[in-house]
Amino acid sequence: MDVSRVQEAAAVLARAYAEREPIEPLIKTYPDAGVEDAYRIQQEQVRRWVEAGDAVRGHKVGLASAAMQRQMGVDQPDYGHLTGSMFHLEHQPIPTAAFLQPRIEPEIAFVLGSALRGPGVTVADAVRAVDFVLPSLEIVDSRIQDWKISLFDTIADNASSGGVVLGSSPTALSAADLRLAGCVLYQNGSVAATGAGGAVLGSPLNSLVWLANTVGPLGVTLEPGHVVLPGSMTRAIPVSPGDTIVATIAGIGSVTAVFAPASEES
């Protein structure tokens, strides 16, 4: 794709954000585009957000489980950017009107204490770079109608990012085995899904290593203080106005996301 078509695709996604109206899959308009083109569209969107006053505060890894990779017909994860405006406070009402078709996923969030840049990053490097972990809930969203996304679509759409809620119980890596950490996801008091850290590329740390080694050659450093979401421990579940979502992760803690009732959004 030439620069003008990259900008054109980014503008179409920008309108979907602004008008809260999902669009047809981009791959229909750009059938010959590839993964590299999709990341260029994503980066163009991020550039526009930063120019408008937002700031990159981290990254998220998507398609990190074997089940999701099989569903999408791919053999590796993808990544997107987290900006400051995407972070929501725990227990504070989140307006669902800010999203198009939100779903939610539980994750173990890494908060970096030192910079991490590939290529050549090892698990040992990643462990040294992590300051602490937090329980988190990622709100995934898609600007593509009915979530009918190809790999190209989800990457171009910033890896279907929507929002982040961080818990408030920091835990040192040495205090928990991330692979064996079990997770229970509750929706309005009922169990909605279960999983474990090992569902995320065998260990969430592997996801962090993959991210650093993937973005490093592009000139991107994972910065101190940045948050990295390594991927969901369970399937994603749809959310509606008035929902309360709680994720409890063994050895890590719990995190709660509260969505404002429809009556408060009108």
Side-chain angles (χ1 to χ4, degrees), residues 9 48 64 66 85 109-110 125 132 156 171 173 186 195-196 207 221 230 237 252:
R48 294 181 182 200
S85 63
F110 295 108
D125 296 325
F132 54 87
T171 301
L173 280 181
Y186 299 91
S207 183
T221 298
I237 61 170
I252 307 296

Side-chain angles (χ1 to χ4, degrees), residues 38 57 109 115 251 260:
R57 300 301 303 273

Side-chain angles (χ1 to χ4, degrees), residues 22 77 79-80 166 247:
Y79 69 86
L166 297 177

Side-chain angles (χ1 to χ4, degrees), residues 22-223:
I23 60 174
E24 285 289 308
L26 289 171
I27 196 65
K28 290 185 176 180
T29 304
Y30 309 102
D32 297 325
V35 167
E36 183 178 338
D37 297 314
Y39 279 119
R40 291 171 62 206
I41 295 168
Q42 179 186 133
Q43 290 161 356
E44 173 63 16
Q45 288 193 91
V46 173
R47 184 190 67 79
R48 294 181 182 200
W49 294 335
V50 170
E51 280 191 353
D54 214 338
V56 175
R57 300 301 303 273
H59 290 80
K60 57 86 52 98
V61 178
L63 304 175
S65 71
M68 285 301 299
Q69 290 181 15
R70 285 195 299 270
Q71 181 179 335
M72 295 296 295
V74 300
D75 59 1
Q76 65 176 349
D78 68 351
Y79 69 86
H81 294 71
L82 301 177
T83 66
S85 63
M86 294 180 184
F87 287 79
H88 300 271
L89 290 175
E90 188 179 20
H91 299 292
Q92 299 302 305
I94 301 168
T96 52
F99 308 99
L100 279 75
Q101 38 198 354
R103 299 175 179 179
I104 202 161
E105 304 174 338
E107 307 195 22
I108 298 172
F110 295 108
V111 181
L112 300 184
S114 59
L116 197 58
R117 181 168 182 170
V121 168
T122 67
V123 168
D125 296 325
V127 169
R128 282 194 297 268
V130 174
D131 193 6
F132 54 87
V133 296
L134 291 170
S136 71
L137 288 163
E138 181 187 2
I139 304 166
V140 292
D141 197 12
S142 181
R143 273 49 64 176
I144 308 301
Q145 194 169 32
D146 299 323
W147 279 93
K148 293 181 178 177
I149 53 175
S150 66
L151 180 62
F152 172 82
D153 287 299
T154 187
I155 292 174
D157 190 22
N158 195 32
S160 302
S161 299
V164 186
V165 179
L166 297 177
S168 55
S169 55
T171 301
L173 280 181
S174 59
D177 187 334
L178 302 190
R179 299 168 302 163
L180 302 181
C183 174
V184 182
L185 184 66
Y186 299 91
Q187 184 173 32
N188 302 323
S190 298
V191 175
T194 60
V200 183
L201 292 182
S203 167
L205 276 168
N206 293 340
S207 183
L208 177 58
V209 170
W210 176 86
L211 177 65
N213 286 329
T214 299
V215 301
L218 303 176
V220 176
T221 298
L222 305 182
E223 302 287 355

Side-chain angles (χ1 to χ4, degrees), residues 233-259:
M233 305 168 74
T234 73
R235 66 181 179 87
I237 61 170
V239 291
S240 301
D243 279 355
T244 296
I245 309 296
V246 178
T248 300
I249 304 173
I252 307 296
S254 65
V255 55
T256 301
V258 177
F259 291 87

